[in-house]
Amino acid sequence: MDSGEWVTLGLDRRFGVERFRAHFTAHCYERHAHETYAIGLTEEGSQSFHCRGATHRTRPGSIITFNPTEIHDGHATNAEGFLYRMLYVAPETVAAVLDDAGIRPPWALAFPNILSEDPVLASLIARTADAFAEPGATLARSEALAAMVVGLARRQAGAPAPGLSRPADTALARARDHLHAHMGEDITAEDLAAVAGLSRFHLSRAFTRRYGAAPATYLRWIRLERAKRMLAAGEAPAQVAAATGFTDQAHLTRRFKGAYGITPGAFQRAARGASPGL
């Protein structure tokens, strides 16, 4: 296995898909989440991560499936490092594919297991990742993406994981919505507690149980996801940092790379179709 660290990625806005492939040895992902489905495959080595209250470890051939908003981290299990590929697929894309295939309701693609072993699905994921890495392969992308999503829905999906299908508690929903509406501001624990109508201690514990992360961690990841969208739209990193509540561009860069394994500038170049580098 290559001993260096590298990343390649690409975005296809037509399909709502981001393609990501990387080899890491020393990089450690900070806790973060994605607004998309995250569907991937470990090719070589092993990675370890914490999600849904437990530690998970991959091996070559392991399929990784995160539902939208599931907070997780990640690092190499040992000095050998790991090589893996991921596809980040917009929920509306998944819903459209399932609807076209006559699979309802749309949440049929909710993953009860984060890790699984299934050579058929692994082949579908690899085929889709290859199609999105091939320039100009619009038809191949469409066919591979549909086959992958339908395959996942039929072979692996089930009821949403515990905690994902419960209606949000009204007080916690108010706190969450406040974070989304004011993410660019310096939100205090007192502010959030007042919005929720709960004590700071009660809010922190209940919010963490409901959403998988303390309010500060949740705020950081929604800021990063907003930053991602703004960068993809071509906005300058310094402006993105200011708009999303980061202290400055350096702060955004540090957190962005910690969460996604790549700098904001490299991500933006990839969004424009250039080679991202690291």
Side-chain angles (χ1 to χ4, degrees), residues 193-267:
V195 168
L198 302 170
S199 72
R200 288 180 298 172
F201 179 73
H202 185 189
L203 172 62
S204 181
R205 290 185 63 190
F207 194 99
T208 301
R209 284 196 304 269
R210 177 64 182 86
Y211 297 112
T217 302
Y218 186 94
L219 176 61
R220 185 171 69 241
W221 86 253
I222 62 174
R223 283 173 168 173
L224 286 167
E225 287 290 283
R226 173 73 63 82
K228 223 180 182 187
R229 293 195 300 272
M230 294 175 70
L231 289 165
E235 298 194 38
Q239 294 175 334
V240 172
T244 51
F246 292 95
T247 306
D248 52 27
Q249 186 175 339
H251 185 204
L252 169 64
T253 297
R254 184 171 68 255
R255 289 301 195 183
F256 197 95
K257 186 167 185 180
Y260 303 125
I262 191 170
T263 65
F267 175 82

Side-chain angles (χ1 to χ4, degrees), residues 37-55:
Y37 288 93
I39 302 162
L41 183 66
T42 299
E43 298 181 67
E44 300 177 24
S46 173
Q47 59 184 303
S48 298
F49 58 89
H50 189 269
C51 185
R52 296 188 199 169
T55 299

Side-chain angles (χ1 to χ4, degrees), residues 143-162:
E143 292 174 351
L145 178 63
M148 180 188 73
V149 170
V150 170
L152 285 162
R154 288 177 173 166
R155 296 177 68 88
Q156 184 167 310

Side-chain angles (χ1 to χ4, degrees), residues 1 41-46 58-63 80 83 117:
M1 189 191 307
L41 183 66
T42 299
E43 298 181 67
E44 300 177 24
S46 173
T58 70
R59 61 184 183 182
S62 292
I63 294 170
E80 180 187 9
L83 171 65
E117 309 290 333

